[in-house]
C-alpha cells in the first residue's frame, strides 16, 4: 500500500483548504500553473482558492486534462465509499485476485491478469499524485476524498451513466421501497427478517459483500437470470421489462435484491451486485500504462531528411503558386466572410490538388499573414506586402516562418466544408474555424514522433491511441455533457498529414531538423524560445535544400527545363514568358504565342526576350523559339484597342478589312468609322480577348495613343496583421507571477486565520478575538503608538484595524518598520507590499497570538 501523503506529519486535513495549507509553496505554484483559471483574479486566501478549485467549470476543465488512468482512478473513487481507503481503491481498479466469478453456464471470468494488477499497483501512486496536484483529491491515503463537484460529475445517474457502467448503490436504488417489500427480499435471500429498513439494507449489503454467500445464492439462479445479469454486468445497468408483471427469471432476481425496480418498467443492477459479478473491478478494461506508438517501419535518417526537405521545398512552391494566381485574379470575399466553394475549387484545380489540401494552403497563407482581404469595394483576397518580404528571404527562412505560424495557429483547415453547431457551413478563411486545442495537439504529436528513434515511422493508429490515452475527455464533450465528436483525434490526424505536407516529416518519420522544434523535456516553450528553435531548425534544413539556379535548358520543341529551383528574378520572368507544363524534380515550361504575347503586353520587347533567353540558357536558343518570338512581336500591337465603347485602330486598312470579313468577328459588331478605325460596343478587355481568340495580337492603348502595359503582379492589400490564435483557456502564468501569487495567497491566508491578542494597558485582562469574524482592534492612541514602536524594534507582526478615505473598515496584518510624523511605515502581509498608514486612521492594534 502506498504511503504517499499530501501534507505534512500533522493531523489529517478536514477540508481541501486544510490540505492546501499543508502543501509547500512549490506544490501551490504547480497547482496554479496546471489550473491557471484559479488565478483570475488571485484568490485572497487558501479558503477562497479551495472554493474556486471546487467550482463546476474549473473542475470540468481539470478533469478533461487527466490521462486515462488518472481519470479511471477518479471514477473509481467516485463510486467508492467516501472517504475511500487506499486498499479499497486498489481493489476497484485491479480486482480481487481471489475472486471466483464463475457461474453455471455463464462466463464470469476476470480478464485482468497478474500483469495488470502489478501495473495498477505501480502506477496508482502516480495517478493519486496527479489528482492531488490538480486539487481534485485530498486527504491521507487511508481517507481519500474526491472533491465534491468531481464526485457529482463522475457519479452515475439515470440521465448521466457512469463511465464505469455501475449503477446506484443498493441504498440509493431502494430509497422509497416499502418495509414489507424489504422483508420479502430478506426472506427470499435467506436472511433473518427485521423491521428496521436500515438494518435490512445493511444485511443485504453484507450479503453481497460476502463473496462465498453471494456465489451460493447465484448457484440457485435460473440460467435465464444469470444471462440477464451478464448483460447488465458491464453497463449500462438499467434494463426494461415488457409489463408490470415481469417474467419468471426477472422476478427471481427482483425477489432477492439482485435487481431493483426503479420504475414500473425499469430495473437496475445495484452497484454491490455488479462489483461482485465483475470480480470487484470498477472498469472492464483498466489502462494504467500509456500505449507506446508502434513503429511501422524504420528508414535511414538521411533518407527521411532528404524526403522531408524535398517536401518543404514543394510547400514553398505551392504557396507561391497560390498567391501568384491570386495577385492577378483575386477571389471574392463572401458576404458572410470567407472563400466561396467555387473559388476554392478553382484554386484547387490551379494547384492540381484535392480541395481539402488546397484549403490547408489557403488557410496557411492567411495564418502566416501572406494573404488577406484587400478591403476594396469589390472585396477580394490578395497577397499582402508581407508576401513580398517573405519572397525576398532565403528558402529555409521562408519555411521557418510558415512552420512557426502553423505551430502557433489555432485555425483548423480540416473543418472546411463541415457545419457548426447551428448548422451553418464553415468556409475557408471564414469564421468558426478556430479551435484552441489545435496548437497543443500539433505540439504533442511532434513530441510523440520525436520520442522515437531517428528514422522510425509509427503507425497512425498507435499515435492516435496514445493521444486518446493522454486526454480521453478532451475534445469529446468532456465529463460535463454531450459529446461533440472526438475532435482531438481528428486534430491529430490532420496534424500528421499537415506535418508531412510542410516537410516536418518524411515517409512518416520526424526529420532530424524538425526535432529542434520539440522541447527536450517535453514541456511548453515561450514564443521567443519557439522562434529561436524554428531558426535552429531552419539552419539545419538549409544545407539540405538545393541552391537556386540561374539557368534553364532550352529545347527544340519550344520547352524549357528548370533542373531545380530558380532564382527569384529568373522564375518571375519565366512565369510571364512561358506556361508551366509539369512539375516535379524539374519544372517544364512551354513557350506559346499566348505566353510570348503576355511578355510583350508586360512591356518586354523582342530584343529583351532574345537577350534573356541567351543569357540564361545553358543550351543554344533553338531556332523555332527565335522564330516564334519574332513572329509574335511583328504582329503584336499592329491592332490597337481603345475605349469608345471601344475601337480598333490599325495603319494597315487591309488587315481591318480582313477582320470585318471574318465570320468570327460577328459577335463583336464591328463597323468601319474610317479606313483605319473600327468601332465596337464591347468593352476594351472583351474586345481584346475576342481578337486574340481569332489569332491576332492586339495591344491596348490609352487615350493618348500609348500602349498600356499589363503587369500581373501589381495587386497587393494594405498592410495586414496575421490572425491571432485563440487561446485554449487562460494563459499559463510564468514563474514570477506564480511566486508573487503564492506569496499573496499565503499572506492573505495568514491574515484571515491568525488569532489576535488585544493590546492592553497594564492591569487589564487579555482579550482574544478572531480576525475573520471579530470586531476591529480598538486601543487608545498612546497604546497604539507604543505597541507600534515596540513591534518595530522587535520585528513582530501586529493586527491593526484600518479605515480608509472612503470609510471602509478592514483588518490587516502588518510588520512595522518605522513610526514617525503621525505615520507608520510597515510591511503589509495582507497586500504583500510595504505601505504607509496615517496613525489617525488606525482604530487600534493587537498582537498576533
Amino acid at each position: 500500500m502506498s504511503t504517499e501523503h499530501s501534507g505534512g506529519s500533522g493531523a489529517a486535513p478536514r477540508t481541501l483548504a486544510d490540505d492546501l495549507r499543508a502543501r509547500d509553496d512549490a506544490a501551490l505554484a504547480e497547482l496554479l500553473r496546471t489550473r491557471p483559471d484559479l488565478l483570475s483574479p488571485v484568490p485572497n486566501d487558501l479558503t477562497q482558492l479551495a472554493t474556486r478549485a471546487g467550482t463546476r467549470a474549473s473542475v470540468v476543465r481539470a478533469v478533461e486534462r487527466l490521462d486515462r488512468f488518472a481519470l479511471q482512478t477518479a471514477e473509481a473513487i467516485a463510486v467508492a465509499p467516501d472517504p475511500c481507503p487506499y486498499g479499497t481503491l486498489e481493489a476497484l481498479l485491479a480486482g480481487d485476485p481471489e475472486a471466483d466469478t464463475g457461474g453455471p453456464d455463464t462466463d464470469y471470468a476476470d480478464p485482468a491478469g497478474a500483469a495488470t494488477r502489478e501495473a495498477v499497483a505501480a502506477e496508482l501512486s502516480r495517478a493519486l499524485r496527479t489528482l492531488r496536484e490538480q486539487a481534485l483529491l485530498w486527504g491521507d491515503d487511508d481517507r481519500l476524498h474526491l472533491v465534491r463537484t468531481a464526485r457529482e460529475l463522475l457519479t452515475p445517474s439515470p440521465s448521466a451513466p457512469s463511465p464505469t457502467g455501475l449503477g446506484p448503490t443498493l441504498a440509493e436504488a431502494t430509497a422509497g421501497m416499502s418495509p414489507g417489500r424489504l422483508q420479502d427480499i430478506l426472506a427470499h435471500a435467506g436472511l433473518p427478517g427485521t423491521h428496521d429498513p436500515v438494518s435490512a439494507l445493511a444485511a443485504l449489503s453484507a450479503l453481497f459483500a460476502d463473496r462465498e454467500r453471494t456465489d451460493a445464492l447465484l448457484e440457485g439462479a435460473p440460467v435465464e437470470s444469470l444471462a440477464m445479469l451478464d448483460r447488465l454486468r458491464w453497463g449500462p445497468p438499467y434494463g426494461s421489462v415488457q409489463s408490470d408483471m415481469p417474467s419468471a427469471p426477472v422476478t427471481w432476481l427482483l425477489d432477492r435484491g439482485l435487481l431493483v425496480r426503479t420504475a414500473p418498467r425499469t430495473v437496475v443492477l445495484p452497484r454491490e451486485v455488479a462489483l461482485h459479478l465483475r470480480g470487484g473491478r470498477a472498469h472492464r478494461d483498466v489502462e494504467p500504462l500509456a500505449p507506446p506508438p508502434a513503429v511501422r517501419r524504420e528508414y535511414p535518417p538521411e533518407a527521411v531528411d532528404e524526403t522531408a526537405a524535398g517536401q518543404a521545398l514543394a510547400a514553398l512552391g505551392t504557396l507561391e503558386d497560390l498567391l501568384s494566381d491570386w495577385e492577378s485574379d483575386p477571389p471574392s470575399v463572401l458576404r458572410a466572410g470567407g472563400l466561396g466553394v467555387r473559388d476554392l475549387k478553382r484554386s484547387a484545380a490551379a494547384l492540381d490538388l484535392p480541395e481539402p489540401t488546397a484549403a490547408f494552403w489557403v488557410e496557411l497563407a492567411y495564418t502566416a499573414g501572406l494573404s488577406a482581404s484587400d478591403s476594396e469595394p469589390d472585396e477580394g483576397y490578395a497577397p499582402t506586402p508581407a508576401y513580398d518580404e517573405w519572397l525576398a528571404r532565403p528558402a529555409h527562412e521562408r519555411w521557418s516562418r510558415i512552420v512557426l505560424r502553423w505551430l502557433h495557429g489555432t485555425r483548423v483547415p480540416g473543418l472546411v466544408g463541415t457545419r457548426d453547431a447551428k448548422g451553418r457551413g464553415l468556409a475557408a478563411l471564414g469564421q468558426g474555424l478556430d479551435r484552441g486545442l489545435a496548437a497543443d495537439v500539433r505540439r504533442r504529436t511532434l513530441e510523440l514522433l520525436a520520442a522515437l528513434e531517428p528514422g522510425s515511422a509509427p503507425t497512425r493508429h498507435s499515435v492516435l491511441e496514445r493521444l486518446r490515452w493522454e486526454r480521453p475527455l478532451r475534445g469529446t464533450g468532456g465529463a460535463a455533457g454531450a459529446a461533440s465528436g472526438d475532435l482531438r483525434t481528428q486534430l491529430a490526424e490532420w496534424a500528421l498529414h499537415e506535418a508531412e505536407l510542410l516537410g516536418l516529416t518524411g515517409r512518416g518519420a520526424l526529420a532530424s531538423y524538425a526535432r529542434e522544434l520539440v522541447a527536450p523535456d517535453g514541456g511548453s516553450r515561450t514564443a521567443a524560445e519557439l522562434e529561436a528553435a524554428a531558426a535552429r531548425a531552419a539552419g539545419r534544413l538549409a544545407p539540405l535544400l538545393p541552391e537556386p539556379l540561374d539557368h534553364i535548358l532550352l529545347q527544340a520543341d519550344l520547352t524549357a527545363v528548370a533542373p531545380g529551383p530558380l532564382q527569384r528574378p529568373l522564375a518571375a520572368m519565366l512565369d510571364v514568358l512561358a506556361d508551366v507544363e509539369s512539375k516535379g524534380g524539374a519544372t517544364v515550361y512551354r513557350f506559346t504565342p499566348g505566353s510570348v504575347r503576355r511578355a510583350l503586353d508586360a512591356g518586354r520587347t523582342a530584343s529583351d526576350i532574345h537577350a534573356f533567353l541567351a543569357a540564361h540558357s545553358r543550351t543554344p536558343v533553338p531556332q523555332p523559339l527565335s522564330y516564334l518570338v519574332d513572329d509574335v512581336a511583328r504582329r503584336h500591337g499592329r491592332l490597337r484597342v481603345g475605349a469608345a465603347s471601344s475601337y480598333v485602330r490599325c495603319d494597315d486598312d487591309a488587315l481591318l478589312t480582313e477582320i470585318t470579313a471574318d465570320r468570327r468577328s460577328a459577335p463583336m459588331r464591328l463597323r468601319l468609322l474610317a479606313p483605319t478605325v473600327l468601332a465596337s460596343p464591347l468593352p476594351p478587355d472583351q474586345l481584346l480577348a475576342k481578337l486574340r481568340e481569332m489569332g491576332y495580337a492586339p495591344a491596348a492603348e490609352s487615350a493618348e495613343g500609348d500602349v498600356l502595359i499589363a503587369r500581373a503582379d501589381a495587386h497587393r492589400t494594405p498592410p495586414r496583421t496575421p490572425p491571432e490564435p485563440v487561446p485554449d483557456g487562460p494563459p499559463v502564468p510564468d514563474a514570477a507571477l506564480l511566486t508573487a501569487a503564492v506569496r499573496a495567497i499565503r499572506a492573505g491566508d495568514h491574515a484571515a486565520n491568525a488569532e489576535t491578542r488585544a493590546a492592553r494597558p497594564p492591569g487589564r485582562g487579555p482579550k482574544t478575538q478572531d480576525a475573520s469574524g471579530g470586531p476591529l482592534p480598538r486601543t487608545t492612541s498612546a497604546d497604539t503608538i507604543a505597541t507600534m514602536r515596540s513591534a518595530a524594534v522587535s520585528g513582530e507582526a501586529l493586527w491593526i484595524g484600518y479605515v480608509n478615505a472612503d470609510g471602509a473598515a478592514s483588518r490587516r496584518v502588518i510588520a512595522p518598520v518605522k513610526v514617525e510624523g503621525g505615520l507608520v511605515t510597515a510591511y503589509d502581509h495582507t497586500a504583500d507590499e510595504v505601505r504607509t498608514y496615517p496613525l489617525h486612521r488606525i482604530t487600534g492594534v493587537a498582537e498576533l497570538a
Side-chain angles (χ1 to χ4, degrees), residues 414-453:
L415 295 174
V416 172
T418 63
R419 294 189 176 275
D420 62 11
K422 296 182 179 180
R424 296 172 298 195
L426 299 177
L429 304 182
Q431 298 180 350
L433 293 182
D434 281 289
R435 297 293 183 272
L437 277 174
D440 177 69
V441 171
R442 290 166 184 167
R443 175 188 62 80
R444 186 59 191 140
T445 302
L446 294 185
E447 288 175 354
L448 288 178
L449 297 179
L452 301 175
E453 291 297 321

Side-chain angles (χ1 to χ4, degrees), residues 555-630:
Q555 302 187 105
D557 60 351
L558 297 181
T559 60
V561 176
L566 299 176
Q567 294 178 353
R568 286 301 311 161
L570 173 58
M573 178 60 186
L574 207 55
D575 285 340
V576 176
L577 183 58
D579 298 323
V580 176
E581 190 168 79
S582 65
K583 287 188 173 183
T587 304
V588 178
Y589 295 86
R590 179 165 294 280
F591 299 95
T592 65
S595 67
V596 174
R597 177 195 52 74
R598 189 169 62 232
L600 296 172
D601 285 343
R604 307 301 193 276
T605 64
S607 58
D608 292 339
I609 295 174
H610 285 305
F612 169 80
L613 295 174
H616 293 94
S617 176
R618 287 289 178 88
T619 58
V621 179
Q623 194 175 51
L625 180 56
S626 298
Y627 286 166
L628 174 64
V629 172
D630 292 338

Side-chain angles (χ1 to χ4, degrees), residues 227-396:
M228 291 177 184
L229 292 179
D230 191 45
R231 286 197 296 270
L232 299 176
R233 176 173 52 147
W234 293 110
Y238 291 89
S240 59
V241 293
Q242 295 297 324
S243 64
D244 294 341
M245 298 297 294
S247 62
V250 175
T251 301
W252 192 94
L253 296 171
L254 290 172
D255 288 344
R256 290 154 181 80
L258 296 168
L259 288 182
V260 176
R261 191 191 295 271
T262 60
R265 297 193 177 187
T266 304
V267 295
V268 67
L269 180 68
R271 187 180 306 170
E272 294 86 346
V273 179
L275 287 173
H276 172 84
L277 299 174
R278 298 177 177 195
R281 297 202 324 282
H283 298 85
R284 186 169 196 162
D285 298 308
V286 183
E287 299 181 64
L289 301 175
V295 176
R296 169 175 52 86
R297 187 171 176 180
E298 294 185 359
Y299 298 97
E302 297 79 11
V304 171
D305 289 351
E306 182 180 348
T307 303
Q311 191 58 48
L313 191 63
L316 301 179
T318 302
L319 282 175
E320 291 178 32
D321 291 344
L322 172 68
L323 296 177
S324 64
D325 179 42
W326 283 15
E327 69 184 2
S328 59
D329 188 9
S332 300
V333 178
L334 295 175
R335 183 177 301 176
L339 186 69
V341 174
R342 197 172 290 177
D343 286 317
L344 179 60
K345 289 179 180 291
R346 181 177 67 83
S347 295
L351 297 174
D352 194 22
L353 293 172
E355 286 180 41
T357 306
F360 166 70
W361 295 115
V362 167
E363 281 289 335
L364 183 61
Y366 174 64
T367 301
L370 305 180
S371 69
S373 166
D374 58 10
S375 300
E376 297 288 338
D378 187 14
E379 193 174 11
Y381 291 106
T384 63
Y387 172 62
D388 297 314
E389 300 174 8
W390 181 76
L391 281 178
R393 294 178 176 273
H396 62 281

Side-chain angles (χ1 to χ4, degrees), residues 71-102:
L71 179 63
Q72 289 181 329
T73 302
E75 291 167 351
I77 298 175
V79 298
D82 186 27
C84 174
Y86 187 97
T88 301
L89 174 61
E90 187 172 16
L92 283 171
L93 290 169
D96 183 1
E98 304 298 328
D100 177 14
T101 55

